[in-house]
Amino acid sequence: MENGIPKKPRILCLHGFRTSGEILKKQIGRWPESILRKLDLDFLDAPFPALGKSDVEAFFDPPYYEWYQRNEDCTQYINFEQSIAYIEDYMVTHGPFDGLLGFSQGAFIAAASPGMQAEGVAFTKVPNIKFVILIAGAKFLGFKFGQPKLAVNAFSSPVQCPSLHIIGENDFLKEQGMVLLESFVDPVVIYHSKGHTIPRIDERGQETMLSFIQKFQMI
């Protein structure tokens, strides 16, 4: 509590594949002010420039970045360990952070982070991640058959970290997102009618999100 006002949870936001922190900031910026004013959001660019065409080129200007690369059958991941170290170093330098928010590729990382931290293989230099907000997320193992070595045991036990999942009814990752729910203890879910995107939050979704956020305001 600061001057009688609950402290805003600090959240590190991880963008999607071949986009950027600035693009994610613009997309999240469409959410209702009732939500945004309760959050302290920090948007980080991935460490690797995009190695190919971005799906958002028609909507957002470059530069574009990616967190890691993988082969076509999703059995090998490249630069994943470097990205995790990069995120952790940023959290050490600019933190502390209360939680993580991720979209798509960023949500894959955010979803696995509490488990990697619990296993002691990553995020050992920072406080425990208190919660995650996952937009169009999935497990690495759930997406075909491969997974990065650091994340092998990220979901071996039920994830105790509180989680809010935002799932699109027409997202090509919807099925994998539903599988991800099963790995978390008491996940909170907001469904929307769109596809693989960051949706606007309707009134019902606002109520769900504000209730979730309230748990992590330092009162």
Side-chain angles (χ1 to χ4, degrees), residues 4 28 32 35 37 39 44 51 58 73-74 77 81 90 96 112 118-119 123 135 137 139 144 148-149 159 173 203:
I28 295 293
I35 293 173
R37 67 169 174 255
L39 303 175
L44 178 63
L51 296 181
D73 60 1
C74 303
Y77 292 82
E81 290 79 6
Y90 187 88
E119 287 287 321
F123 302 107
I135 310 167
K139 294 196 295 185
K144 296 195 178 179
K149 291 180 180 178
V159 180
L173 280 180
E203 186 173 344

Side-chain angles (χ1 to χ4, degrees), residues 12 14 44-48 66-69 77-93 97 100 105-126 129 140 147-152 154-155:
L12 182 60
L14 309 179
L44 178 63
D45 287 331
F48 303 105
E66 53 195 54
W67 295 104
Y68 55 85
Q69 301 80 40
Y77 292 82
I78 303 163
N79 291 321
F80 182 82
E81 290 79 6
Q82 291 89 330
S83 261
I84 297 302
Y86 167 83
I87 294 168
E88 183 169 6
D89 287 345
Y90 187 88
M91 294 174 75
V92 169
T93 304
F97 290 94
L100 297 176
Q105 192 182 55
F108 278 55
I109 292 175
S113 294
M116 291 190 292
Q117 187 178 52
E119 287 287 321
V121 297
F123 302 107
T124 58
K125 303 174 185 176
V126 297
I129 298 166
F140 292 103
Q147 55 188 326
K149 291 180 180 178
L150 276 184
V152 166
F155 301 104

Side-chain angles (χ1 to χ4, degrees), residues 18-217:
R18 294 180 181 170
T19 64
S20 69
E22 183 61 28
I23 291 172
L24 181 59
K25 183 177 181 180
K26 290 177 180 177
Q27 294 171 313
I28 295 293
R30 299 168 183 162
W31 284 1
E33 182 60 27
S34 62
I35 293 173
L36 296 177
R37 67 169 174 255
K38 294 184 179 295
L39 303 175
D40 181 4
L41 303 174
D42 192 334
F43 296 86
L44 178 63
D45 287 331
F48 303 105
L51 296 181
K53 183 177 176 63
S54 170
D55 289 340
V56 302
E57 288 180 5
F59 309 101
F60 298 101
D61 293 330
Y64 312 116
Y65 303 93
E66 53 195 54
W67 295 104
Y68 55 85
Q69 301 80 40
R70 57 174 174 75
N71 61 357
E72 289 188 6
D73 60 1
C74 303
T75 57
Q76 292 183 346
Y77 292 82
I78 303 163
N79 291 321
F80 182 82
E81 290 79 6
Q82 291 89 330
S83 261
I84 297 302
Y86 167 83
I87 294 168
E88 183 169 6
D89 287 345
Y90 187 88
M91 294 174 75
V92 169
T93 304
H94 297 87
F97 290 94
D98 297 300
L100 297 176
L101 178 151
F103 168 64
S104 193
Q105 192 182 55
F108 278 55
I109 292 175
S113 294
M116 291 190 292
Q117 187 178 52
E119 287 287 321
V121 297
F123 302 107
T124 58
K125 303 174 185 176
V126 297
N128 285 342
I129 298 166
K130 297 177 183 177
F131 63 90
V132 291
I133 298 175
L134 308 173
I135 310 167
K139 294 196 295 185
F140 292 103
L141 185 58
F143 191 63
K144 296 195 178 179
F145 306 107
Q147 55 188 326
K149 291 180 180 178
L150 276 184
V152 166
N153 294 315
F155 301 104
S156 59
S157 300
V159 180
Q160 300 290 330
C161 181
S163 60
L164 173 63
H165 305 249
I166 301 178
I167 299 175
E169 295 290 353
N170 293 299
D171 189 348
F172 72 93
L173 280 180
K174 179 187 176 183
E175 182 178 344
Q176 301 299 336
M178 299 300 291
V179 171
L180 178 63
L181 292 178
E182 299 172 3
S183 292
F184 284 83
V185 176
D186 297 325
V188 177
V189 189
I190 295 174
Y191 294 100
H192 63 90
S193 62
K194 304 297 183 181
H196 194 71
T197 188
I198 297 171
R200 297 180 186 275
I201 305 296
D202 62 18
E203 186 173 344
R204 183 176 180 181
Q206 288 182 54
E207 294 176 0
T208 300
M209 185 171 287
L210 289 172
S211 176
F212 181 83
I213 293 169
Q214 187 177 15
K215 300 173 186 176
F216 307 102
Q217 291 177 314

